[in-house]
Amino acid sequence: MSATEKARIAELRRQIEYHNYRYYVLDDPEIPDAEYDRLLRELQDLETTHPALISADSPTQRVGAAPLRAFAEAVHAAPMLSLENAFSDQEVADFDRRVHERLKIEGDIEYSCEPKLDGLAISLRFENGRLVQAATRGDGERGEEVTQNVRTIASIPLRLRGGDVPAIMEVRGEVFMTKTGFEAMNAAAREKGEKVFVNPRNAAAGSLRQLDPRVTAQRPLAFFSYGVGLVEGIAMPDRHSAILTSLREWGLPVSREQQCVIGIAGCRAYYAEMAKRRNALPYEIDGVVYKVDRIDQQQALGSVSRAPRWALAHKFPAQEELTRVVDIEVQVGRTGALTPVARLEPVFVGGVTVTNATLHNEDEVRRKDVRIGDTVIVRRAGDVIPEVVSVVLDRRPDDARVFQMPAHCPVCGSDITRVEGEAIARCSGGLFCAAQRKESIKHFASRRAMDIEGLGDKLVEQLVESGLIGTVADLYALKNEQLANLERMGDKSAENLVAAIAHSRSTTLPRFLYALGMREVGEATALALANHFGDLDALMQADVDRLQQVPDVGPIVATHVVDFFHQPHNQEVIATLRAAGIHWPAIEARGLTEQPLAGKTFVLTGTLEELTRDEAKAHLQTLGAKVSGSVSKRTDCVVAGSDAGSKLTRAKDLGIQVISETELLRMLREGGVV
Ligand code: IVH
């Protein structure tokens, strides 16, 4: 073994210990889990090659760090085990093979599949049905006693339901935070200028390890159970899945996603399904867990060091990774808004290679203190644009440079203005600015606006740069020959594009209004404006007061709309578009007519299929209804989509009318708004 290897082992141990401390003791990790896992794996590999160097105090020989002194220590009657991780199909296949070999059986194994919740493990001790102690995992043998805090979590029962409860039972599960709870909590913290949490897991851990339970009580914590430790005084079922059912019957929450499958093929299908649904789930998961379902088989398999041989965590690709900020540039949006964007060293995260990440605005750059040269955590979850989460200060180079917002637009050189109290700085160049022109044309052509198929971002940029178009109105004058001369554009695609542009002439008024790209006028507002005024000329002539009669339109939106239509340039573009043949079916103006749902209060809950929430709300408001966020005695009707939860239950309890989306659509059709 070489001296460098020995030094590397020492260095890895130092680093892992430091990150353990950040993670377990301070609840404030500096690096993403994937990076931590790599450090640990590197150390494990080196120690496997050189077993003589393994020492009892190596981070590979224990799990977690010592409890904080301020909490009492709690001893687990049965140790809290950890899980072996798999990152590939091959590792899952190896696991299944080992299970077969140890059990000496041929046929498919029955597995219980569950989401791998991204929170923190907790053990709840119930004696004769009463919750007497709650403890964190700690080192697996003993953790921190957090009973007072756990008692504040609404979903954890203080007493088990039913007469037949065990004399002693340790329930094992995960405390976590829902995504919406996390967002709301961070938004409130940001408003008060308090510390925000990096992700729901840290938020859950930080909240549970508060010394003051009143603070914990304010935090939106949730809990799912996924197993048991010591159980005495009752015969438990002989399958893991049946144990979960018992737990549920005793009043303990269990994830609805749990599913029994046959063999490794079933596990794969479950993994694929959950990977697809991951971002739509209300809470974060970082993978799935496969557990041999039969308890006799689990017992035959036993455990190695700290992980059972009968379970495996199959992890999803990391959504957070480390990389370096090469530069910070400023991007100009459709409305002139300037967004600082970090140019990154390419990094594979969330399943794609990422080279840019948004920094939102100048204040965010200051708040996160991101500097050019810094190592940062980037996050890419689902289709959301990648963002810089935080800086790893430990790795800041001496020559890291502070970002300065430019005084002039980097594209057109116009002055940059930032209205007092607003976070967004803007280029004042309007459509003189090529960047704003490009963005407004991209928006106009986009799917939910005029839906011009084949007119993608790159092509718009080419068209503007080549001088073929200056405004959206110029699109309708484009000829095949002009397009066919562009790079990477053949006769056929030129023809298709001209046809797609022509096709877009037949549209709807809400789409057209949305396509114009007025500030603060999203799809729902465009819809409300269209329904209220019924026709474009009436809208163009409306003043601020008149506009504010439209549901959900306040003084700011009204001013943006008036400003937009007052600009001669915009009037000209609209006139050209109409002359080019843009048309839409007539809508009956609702502004002054009788409103069939006047005085009625609606609540929307669950997932709607046909309409977005905003659209449903705008339509209901057009018919005169009020749309509220919570169900009360004053609610007249609840529209329940799929997965409707507590609001639906409450509506039923209060005897309030509940309708489906289909019934809502019928109502809207009768009202003439869809
Ligand atoms: S079972 C006997 N099931 O993952 C095995 N753990 O990496 C004990 N976790 O400490 C754990 N979801 O905090 C199990 N459905 C699930 C889980 C789960 C999340 C966490 C738990 C555990 C860690 C191990």
Side-chain angles (χ1 to χ4, degrees), residues 81-83 114-117 121 137 174 226 289 291 308 310:
L81 299 179
S82 176
L83 291 168
E114 302 162 17
K116 186 166 191 300
L117 304 157
R137 187 171 96 198
E174 198 87 348
Y226 48 62
V289 184
K291 297 175 183 171
W310 44 262

Side-chain angles (χ1 to χ4, degrees), residues 330-333 336-340 360-362 405-406 408-410 416 424-427:
V330 166
Q331 236 166 37
V332 187
L338 301 182
T339 309
H360 301 292
N361 58 54
E362 199 179 353
M405 199 64 160
H408 298 282
C409 173
I416 284 171
I424 305 291
R426 285 176 203 277
C427 158

